[in-house]
Amino acid sequence: MDLLLVSLASLLAGGIDAIVGGGGLVLVPALFAVYPNAAPATLFGTNKSASVWGTGIATFQYARRVQMRWAVLGPAALAALAGSFLGAWAVTLIDPTFLRRALPLILLAVLLYTLAKKDLGRTHAPRHERGRETLLACAIGAVIGGYDGFFGPGTGSFFIFLFVRLLGYDFLHASAAAKLLNVATNVAAIALFAAKGHVWWQVGLLMAAANVTGSLIGTRLALRHGAGFVRGVFIVVVGALILKTGYDAFLR
């Protein structure tokens, strides 16, 4: 029954992750509820070991249907990988709890900006020449990758928002780009968790199968309905993140 519950949660999380990210809103609380006595690091590591497969499959599916700017995104993914390692190292030296109260406010600003700019992310029109776009994409990868390694919540949403706002991508192309960078940050996290023995590989394998199934469904929905649909799901997920992080920061 425990495996069934976390697999169903992983299925739903895979669908959400494939569209805009934020599947951790579903899967992480489910893991903590089903395994209340487990070490938090083990649950986080097991979550990553499952979600990376769904994110990887989503990246592959997007790449088949959406024009991926590999010359830009390849270096950005490497920057995200390095940033995630550095962020994870920094968390061993600095307590990240100071971000807890700032995060819901930052997410609220992202949501309000997206709602105010009705046409934001509806048209795919990269606005920079290739060299500048690559530098900006690498900066986004390094900074948000570092944030993911250091703290984590909302990483996919931040990737998408910055690709839309700074690079001129629409929400569909930004989501595709975010998947590739998320794979890089997840690989870094898994390597660190696994090195310390904080992954339940048997549980993670079953969850991975469910996550991939959800990812295939979510990717198909995003590709079928386009940037407007992804924008709508983005708004809903960021709203849910604001409620969750706000509760954790001010009411818990």
Side-chain angles (χ1 to χ4, degrees):
M1 183 58 70
D2 289 350
L3 290 174
L4 177 61
L5 289 173
V6 295
S7 294
L8 289 173
S10 188
L11 176 74
L12 179 57
I16 296 170
D17 264 335
I19 301 171
V20 291
L25 277 171
V26 175
L27 188 49
V28 172
L31 284 166
F32 273 87
V34 173
Y35 303 108
N37 297 319
T42 300
L43 299 183
F44 286 128
T46 304
N47 166 58
K48 292 288 189 185
S49 74
S51 63
V52 69
W53 292 101
T55 306
I57 289 295
T59 304
F60 176 74
Q61 291 292 109
Y62 277 117
R64 293 175 60 193
R65 299 279 298 277
V66 171
Q67 185 177 6
M68 301 280 281
R69 298 168 73 84
W70 294 108
V72 171
L73 298 177
L78 292 176
L81 180 70
S84 184
F85 271 118
L86 289 174
W89 171 75
V91 83
T92 66
L93 305 175
I94 306 168
D95 187 349
T97 54
F98 70 91
L99 283 175
R100 187 163 292 165
R101 294 200 170 192
L103 182 58
L105 302 178
I106 296 169
L107 287 167
L108 180 60
V110 167
L111 179 61
L112 292 176
Y113 187 90
T114 304
L115 291 173
K117 301 288 186 179
K118 301 294 185 184
D119 294 327
L120 183 72
R122 294 187 182 274
T123 303
H124 185 60
R127 60 172 65 103
H128 304 291
E129 53 87 18
R130 181 62 56 84
R132 180 175 173 79
E133 183 181 350
T134 302
L135 286 175
L136 285 171
C138 286
I140 292 169
V143 171
I144 303 303
Y147 165 78
D148 192 22
F150 187 71
F151 195 59
T155 296
S157 298
F158 286 133
F159 272 138
I160 291 172
F161 178 77
L162 291 174
F163 272 102
V164 170
R165 178 64 186 84
L166 298 182
L167 301 186
Y169 289 16
D170 67 10
F171 272 96
L172 182 62
H173 285 79
S175 182
K179 298 298 160 290
L180 178 63
L181 271 62
N182 259 148
V183 169
T185 60
N186 283 344
V187 166
I190 290 168
L192 289 164
F193 282 124
K196 294 184 176 294
H198 286 302
V199 178
W200 285 341
W201 294 110
Q202 316 93 297
V203 177
L205 184 62
L206 289 173
M207 288 167 50
N211 200 266
V212 166
T213 303
S215 178
L216 290 171
I217 296 169
T219 307
R220 181 168 296 184
L221 287 172
L223 290 169
R224 177 179 297 174
H225 297 292
F229 171 75
V230 177
R231 184 181 192 273
V233 177
F234 174 83
I235 289 170
V236 171
V237 169
V238 171
L241 276 167
I242 291 168
L243 293 176
K244 175 66 168 64
T245 57
Y247 172 79
D248 289 344
F250 300 107
L251 299 176
R252 200 167 183 174

